[in-house]
Amino acid sequence: MASIFAHGLIAYAFGNTFSEEVRTYKFWLLGIICSILPDADVLGFKFGIAYEDFWGHRGFTHSLVFAILLGTVVTFVFYNKKFFYRTGLLLIFYFTVCTASHGVLDAMTSGGLGIAFFSPFDDTRYFFSWRPIQVSPIGVNKFFSLWGIKVLLSELIWIGIPSGIYILALYYAKKSKTLFKKDR
């Protein structure tokens, strides 16, 4: 898996796509939680759930169906007055993408059993053919090690730099739109 830092950064970067009126503290917090929540499945190890099981690590909680369900539920619970409007659809989209991005990043890592993207319809685990991100260790103690440093450096290159470029590109695109409006 990628680290929680990388997952949260993706939610933050993508969140910058939306207007300032939508980007509240609640919006950011929920987006980051959605991007990290699929890894709650690691708790299954404590209850004897095997890695490769439906509820195992990188199983159903990493699927596209789970992402859509979570995006919809989060929007309904926290933005119920906006749920049936355009803003509600945009929020469902944002929270769904934040959640789905988790599986996408994990499918780009160098370890694990793959991602059950199509669960519950197909529990086959998939990786992408291009896997440049070092897999993150499970557990805080293992993360603060040489392995953890390698993971962070890998994520800086493959997630941090592209996210920074995306955020800067959005900033300048929005700024240029503002400049052009003033010229009219």
Side-chain angles (χ1 to χ4, degrees):
M1 68 182 162
S3 74
I4 61 170
F5 306 111
H7 292 302
L9 179 59
I10 293 295
Y12 175 75
F14 184 57
N16 279 283
T17 307
F18 297 87
S19 68
E20 286 186 34
E21 61 200 41
V22 174
R23 294 182 292 167
T24 63
Y25 177 76
K26 178 170 69 170
F27 170 85
W28 293 118
L29 182 63
L30 291 170
I32 291 169
I33 289 170
C34 284
S35 73
I36 297 169
L37 192 64
D39 270 344
D41 62 11
V42 297
L43 297 174
F45 292 139
K46 300 255 186 223
F47 299 101
I49 297 172
Y51 195 123
E52 63 277 358
D53 288 348
F54 176 84
W55 291 110
H57 185 49
R58 293 183 170 184
F60 178 69
T61 62
H62 285 60
S63 73
L64 298 173
V65 170
F66 179 80
I68 293 166
L69 289 172
L70 185 62
T72 303
V73 168
V74 166
T75 303
F76 184 76
V77 170
F78 293 97
Y79 295 93
N80 58 5
K81 292 180 182 173
K82 298 177 181 183
F83 188 77
F84 293 104
Y85 297 96
R86 182 178 178 272
T87 301
L89 287 174
L90 289 172
L91 289 166
I92 290 170
F93 178 69
Y94 172 65
F95 296 128
T96 297
V97 169
C98 288
T99 308
S101 72
H102 188 106
V104 170
L105 287 183
D106 282 3
M108 295 171 63
T109 63
S110 61
L113 298 180
I115 309 302
F117 282 117
F118 305 109
S119 181
F121 308 109
D122 175 14
D123 289 327
T124 304
R125 304 291 182 102
Y126 297 91
F127 275 116
F128 294 139
S129 56
W130 185 62
R131 298 169 51 191
I133 303 168
Q134 290 290 314
V135 69
S136 182
I138 296 175
V140 176
N141 291 339
K142 290 181 184 176
F143 189 78
F144 291 104
S145 66
L146 183 58
W147 183 4
I149 292 169
K150 288 179 181 180
V151 168
L152 290 175
L153 288 173
S154 168
E155 291 176 348
L156 174 65
I157 294 166
W158 299 110
I159 301 166
I161 292 171
S163 294
I165 291 169
Y166 181 77
I167 292 167
L168 284 173
L170 279 174
Y171 172 78
Y172 285 111
K174 289 176 183 179
K175 189 175 180 179
S176 70
K177 279 185 180 181
T178 305
L179 290 175
F180 287 120
K181 284 182 183 177
K182 290 179 182 177
D183 290 337
R184 288 184 182 179

